[in-house]
Amino acid sequence: HKRLNTQEIFLAEVLLNSMELDGQKIIQAVVRDVTERKRAEQEIRESRSKLNAMLGAISDHMTMVDRDFTIIWANMTAQSKFGEEIVGKKCYQAYHDSPDGCPKTKCSLKDCFETGKVQRWDSVVTDKQGETCYFHSTVSVAMSDSEGKPQAVIQISRDVTEEKKAELALIEANKELEAANKEMRQMQGQLVQNEKLASIGQLAAGVAHEMNT
């Protein structure tokens, strides 16, 4: 549409209504300038697109969870690891394949909802391939109601599987080294004992020889 006074083109929302006037049917048109609204909507879409692109570029796994422990949003990293259907699942279903609740006795998300404080913890999770992964996670309040009560939390998890595997391999290597050292000490002790017995045998043989001469 164009403005009559300036001929400027603007975005309009038109409402048409059929009515009778003096026995004749006429069409009534109500034109509403929605330029500012459309501009605001476009800015919101662009901002949302930039935010999604930014969050998608983050290599850490990010999910937003509501008070019912339902995942209401997940970045691309989390979706690629646990499947696109992660959104809508309970967090304990997505991460632990548990239908009845978190297998941990202490739930860090529950603590965050109750206290509003940031929680940090290490956990073992299962990805969509059934592989075991090790995560270091942080959860904090993302949205609160008018009374300040947390309504959703955001969980950021770093995959530390390779580091954990290296740590476990090092622990196992240390155990094997300790076992080898223990066996070596035992062998050394046995060798010393054998040498002592040999020395005593030689001494006894020498004494017997002197007595016979």
Side-chain angles (χ1 to χ4, degrees):
H1 287 267
K2 289 185 178 181
R3 302 186 192 278
L4 294 177
N5 53 349
T6 63
Q7 297 298 304
E8 178 188 0
I9 295 176
F10 67 96
L11 296 174
E13 186 177 78
V14 180
L15 177 62
L16 299 177
N17 183 35
S18 176
M19 58 185 299
E20 287 192 7
L21 182 63
D22 296 332
Q24 293 182 340
K25 279 190 175 182
I26 64 171
I27 301 297
Q28 181 187 45
V30 178
V31 179
R32 180 179 301 160
D33 186 347
V34 294
T35 304
E36 290 303 319
R37 191 185 78 189
K38 291 296 183 181
R39 183 180 293 120
E41 290 175 353
Q42 180 62 25
E43 289 176 355
I44 291 173
R45 281 194 295 269
E46 290 176 357
S47 297
R48 188 172 296 169
S49 178
K50 290 178 182 178
L51 178 61
N52 287 334
M54 208 165 49
L55 294 175
I58 295 175
S59 59
D60 290 341
H61 302 74
M62 300 179 66
T63 53
M64 189 176 293
V65 183
D66 66 14
R67 291 190 66 86
D68 294 326
F69 302 107
T70 300
I71 297 173
I72 57 177
W73 174 85
N75 71 346
M76 292 304 298
T77 305
Q79 291 184 39
S80 64
K81 191 75 170 179
F82 298 96
E84 294 180 3
E85 63 276 10
I86 184 176
V87 177
K89 281 187 175 181
K90 301 295 185 183
C91 56
Y92 46 79
Q93 292 174 335
Y95 293 135
H96 304 290
D97 196 24
S98 172
D100 302 321
C102 189
K104 299 192 306 175
T105 55
K106 175 180 169 61
C107 178
S108 299
L109 269 70
K110 182 179 179 182
D111 290 344
C112 185
F113 276 116
E114 290 179 350
T115 66
K117 295 180 179 179
V118 176
Q119 305 291 323
R120 296 180 178 86
W121 75 101
D122 294 315
S123 61
V124 180
V125 299
T126 305
D127 67 11
K128 64 181 180 182
Q129 305 296 338
E131 299 290 334
T132 298
C133 305
Y134 297 88
F135 274 9
H136 176 72
S137 302
T138 302
V139 65
S140 57
V141 175
M143 294 187 296
S144 300
D145 62 15
S146 58
E147 298 178 355
K149 187 176 182 180
Q151 297 301 306
V153 296
I154 189 161
Q155 178 178 333
I156 302 175
S157 301
R158 176 156 296 177
D159 191 337
V160 294
T161 302
E162 294 305 317
E163 293 91 332
K164 190 65 177 180
K165 285 182 177 179
E167 179 186 340
L168 293 174
L170 182 59
I171 292 173
E172 188 62 28
N174 284 335
K175 287 181 179 179
E176 292 177 359
L177 182 60
E178 288 177 3
N181 286 335
K182 182 179 180 180
E183 184 178 357
M184 185 178 294
R185 287 193 297 270
Q186 290 175 344
M187 292 176 63
Q188 288 176 339
Q190 187 63 43
L191 182 60
V192 170
Q193 184 67 21
N194 291 341
E195 288 177 350
K196 286 182 178 179
L197 292 175
S199 298
I200 292 173
Q202 290 176 356
L203 180 60
V207 172
H209 178 73
E210 292 294 329
M211 291 178 64
N212 291 330
T213 57

